[in-house]
Amino acid sequence: MPRADHPVTDAGRRSLRPPGGQRTGSDPLGNRVPGGTRWGPGPPDVDARGGDMDQRVSHAAAPVELSMRLLGRISASVNGREIRLTGRHAQALLALLALQPRPRSREAIATDLWPDADGSSSAALRQALWLVRGAISAAGTDPDAVVEADQDSIGLRACLNLDLDAGRFERLVRGQPAEPEAALLLYRGDLAEGLCHECFASDRERLSDAYEDALAMAAQDRLDCGDPAGARTAAEQLLARDGLREEAHETLIRVYGATGSRSQVHRQFRRLREVLEREIGVEPLPETIAAYRTALAETVERSRLSAASAVFATRRGLAAFAGRT
């Protein structure tokens, strides 16, 4: 009878402890299993997650690119193929790993995602991890090449090429020089839209503030480049999100000064004064008041020139009529 710590020879079975000591691996839930080997009958070198070991090593060594879109509705792809994530728990887990890719304890991740779930959070995490791994596998990539998981921690592989839209967006807004127009194209919605997990709240607020800053910069740049319509659009989008953004009010005042009427300039300035007084009890900034006065002067001058042009046209018409009689 063969010894218990050596492989048996029939039917290609392996014992619990192959020669050379204990081997470790993990099952589809990320839990460790002895040796990463298949329990029961099977080829000697088949991993518990499927696939020949030599092929798995070669596959894991190939570059893997994970693309995550977290601004707006979550979407993901690996090596250009869509990862179809089913369920909010799986979406939330992969989003959290993309934002914090270094391995962290399972307990910390479960607490972040489900702080009020008590003991059930561990089970929810195992289920979410199983769904994430299955979705990556269905996209044609070994999940172990993307997710690093053992019985204690979960993270993304350090060698993974991670393309995260939220990171690119923030660099475009905060970079020197900033690129607000390119940033606005990336912002499809607030971070992890549709997910109510509290762990995304601080990042969501920070990126929302960056989006508003991008709108303010874009409005200013468009007006300076002779695009008052584009400046007005950006300023109105900004005020729809935060009515206290004084620079957006100032942009609209300047737009109306360049293209609108005196009443439009006055109404916009009045709205600004009212919202500042009601919300925080302050007056507009001196530069905003100066922009208001300049805009009023521009509308008055434009009205004067328009009236003079109308009078000239009328006189020319009368002269032409008199010449025909």
Side-chain angles (χ1 to χ4, degrees):
M1 179 175 180
R3 290 173 53 185
D5 60 348
H6 281 72
V8 296
T9 57
D10 61 307
R13 293 169 58 91
R14 276 190 183 272
S15 70
L16 176 61
R17 298 182 59 198
Q22 183 79 14
R23 295 168 58 196
T24 59
S26 58
D27 64 9
L29 296 180
N31 300 312
R32 286 189 176 180
V33 296
T37 56
R38 185 187 301 275
W39 292 87
D45 286 323
V46 174
D47 184 88
R49 286 156 297 217
D52 182 88
M53 291 294 288
D54 292 336
Q55 292 177 351
R56 285 176 50 77
V57 170
S58 174
H59 183 69
V64 176
E65 294 188 3
L66 177 64
S67 178
M68 293 290 301
R69 300 292 173 265
L70 301 185
L71 297 174
R73 292 285 178 176
I74 291 176
S75 63
S77 64
V78 59
N79 289 338
R81 296 185 60 179
E82 181 183 3
I83 300 174
R84 298 182 180 274
L85 294 169
T86 57
R88 295 183 184 273
H89 286 354
Q91 292 178 7
L93 174 58
L94 191 55
L96 185 61
L97 292 178
L99 291 170
Q100 302 181 47
R102 291 186 177 181
R104 301 168 61 216
S105 72
R106 287 176 176 249
E107 181 181 1
I109 293 173
T111 300
D112 280 350
L113 292 172
W114 306 286
D116 302 321
D118 299 325
S120 63
S121 62
S122 296
L125 178 59
R126 287 195 299 271
Q127 175 69 11
L129 179 59
W130 181 78
L131 290 172
V132 167
R133 289 176 58 87
I136 294 172
S137 180
T141 296
D142 177 8
D144 285 330
V146 178
V147 179
E148 178 180 354
D150 57 30
Q151 64 183 3
D152 299 318
S153 63
I154 304 173
L156 296 182
R157 290 287 178 188
C159 58
L160 187 70
N161 293 330
L162 177 61
D163 175 29
L164 184 61
D165 63 342
R168 286 191 286 124
F169 166 77
E170 202 160 19
R171 288 191 295 273
L172 288 169
V173 177
R174 305 304 184 198
Q176 296 295 331
E179 300 180 55
E181 296 292 353
L184 293 178
L185 292 176
L186 283 177
Y187 202 90
R188 300 175 298 126
D190 290 339
L191 180 73
E193 204 169 74
L195 297 182
C196 300
H197 300 73
E198 189 63 26
C199 59
F200 299 117
S202 61
D203 287 324
R204 183 179 290 135
E205 183 175 357
R206 188 186 73 256
L207 291 168
S208 176
D209 289 343
Y211 174 60
E212 292 176 6
D213 290 343
L215 284 172
M217 288 186 285
Q220 180 68 52
D221 290 347
R222 291 172 187 179
L223 187 59
D224 292 344
C225 292
D227 180 15
R232 178 177 178 175
T233 298
E236 288 176 342
Q237 288 175 339
L238 176 53
L239 289 177
R241 296 175 66 93
D242 184 356
L244 286 172
R245 294 294 293 247
E246 186 167 343
E247 67 267 49
H249 287 279
E250 181 184 342
T251 295
L252 287 177
I253 288 170
R254 293 174 60 197
V255 166
Y256 295 142
T259 63
S261 65
R262 181 167 51 180
S263 62
Q264 287 177 304
V265 171
H266 180 67
R267 280 199 304 269
Q268 191 63 46
F269 184 71
R270 185 180 63 199
R271 290 189 190 115
L272 170 61
R273 293 189 68 171
E274 289 174 352
V275 72
L276 290 178
E277 175 62 30
R278 181 176 65 251
E279 298 294 335
I280 53 179
V282 298
E283 284 290 310
L285 294 170
E287 50 265 39
T288 306
I289 296 174
Y292 166 65
R293 290 172 177 166
T294 299
L296 279 180
E298 288 175 349
T299 60
V300 170
E301 179 64 14
R302 191 165 55 252
S303 296
R304 187 187 67 79
L305 292 175
S306 178
S309 177
V311 169
F312 177 76
T314 300
R315 289 176 177 174
R316 186 173 59 182
L318 290 174
F321 177 76
R324 292 196 298 269
T325 59

